[in-house]
């Protein structure tokens, strides 16, 4: 069963100190004042924070899932994800957590080592 925009909302807001705010007429989810995920206006895809150096590899590995909007995403550390291609809520949670880790303040990441995979 495909994940939905509502799944994105529930998982994004379950991450520490996350909030929802409309921007450009679309729901965006933020941590520490920074956007880590945005729903597309048609609810079929999301944009997530992603290091620029990782994008080409992700798109090459799974072009049905990951893409960039030419001319729009080129200069930003973002990648797009087609919700219909996401396997399940577990994979969605992993994608959103990775994006959250890109935007969250270091002190917040340090307070949640379970999300970064780091343990003392």
């Amino acid at each position: 069963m495909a994940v939905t925009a509502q799944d994105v909302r529930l998982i994004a807001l379950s991450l520490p100190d996350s909030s929802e705010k409309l921007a450009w007429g679309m729901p965006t989810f933020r941590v520490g004042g920074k956007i880590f995920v945005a729903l597309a206006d048609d609810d079929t895809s999301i944009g997530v924070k992603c290091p620029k150096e990782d994008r080409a590899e992700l798109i090459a590995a799974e072009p049905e899932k990951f893409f960039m909007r030419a001319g729009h995403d080129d200069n930003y550390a973002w990648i797009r994800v087609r919700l219909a291609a996401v396997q399940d809520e577990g994979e969605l949670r992993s994608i959103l957590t990775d994006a959250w880790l890109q935007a969250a303040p270091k002190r917040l990441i340090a307070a949640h080592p379970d999300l970064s995979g780091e343990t003392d």
Side-chain angles (χ1 to χ4, degrees):
M1 188 161 127
V3 298
T4 66
Q6 184 61 18
D7 295 326
V8 172
R9 178 173 280 109
L10 292 172
I11 293 170
L13 292 174
S14 76
L15 294 167
D17 290 351
S18 295
S19 61
E20 181 176 349
K21 182 177 180 181
L22 278 179
W24 312 287
M26 298 175 291
T28 64
F29 300 88
R30 300 164 186 250
V31 60
K34 295 181 181 177
I35 299 172
F36 68 96
V37 61
L39 275 167
D41 54 2
D42 64 1
D43 288 350
T44 63
S45 65
I46 55 175
V48 295
K49 287 284 284 177
C50 177
K52 287 182 181 180
E53 58 272 13
D54 294 349
R55 297 183 305 188
E57 184 178 336
L58 288 167
I59 293 167
E62 297 183 87
E64 72 287 348
K65 185 179 300 173
F66 298 106
F67 68 103
M68 288 177 41
R69 226 170 69 194
H72 187 269
D73 297 330
D74 299 342
N75 297 318
Y76 302 99
W78 284 84
I79 195 167
R80 309 284 170 146
V81 183
R82 291 179 185 90
L83 294 179
V86 176
Q87 293 176 5
D88 55 28
E89 287 182 24
E91 183 182 27
L92 179 62
R93 179 171 295 282
S94 178
I95 291 168
L96 296 181
T97 300
D98 286 347
W100 181 91
L101 289 166
Q102 296 297 311
K106 287 181 171 57
R107 63 160 176 76
L108 189 57
I109 293 170
H112 297 278
D114 55 311
L115 294 177
S116 66
E118 295 179 13
T119 56
D120 291 336

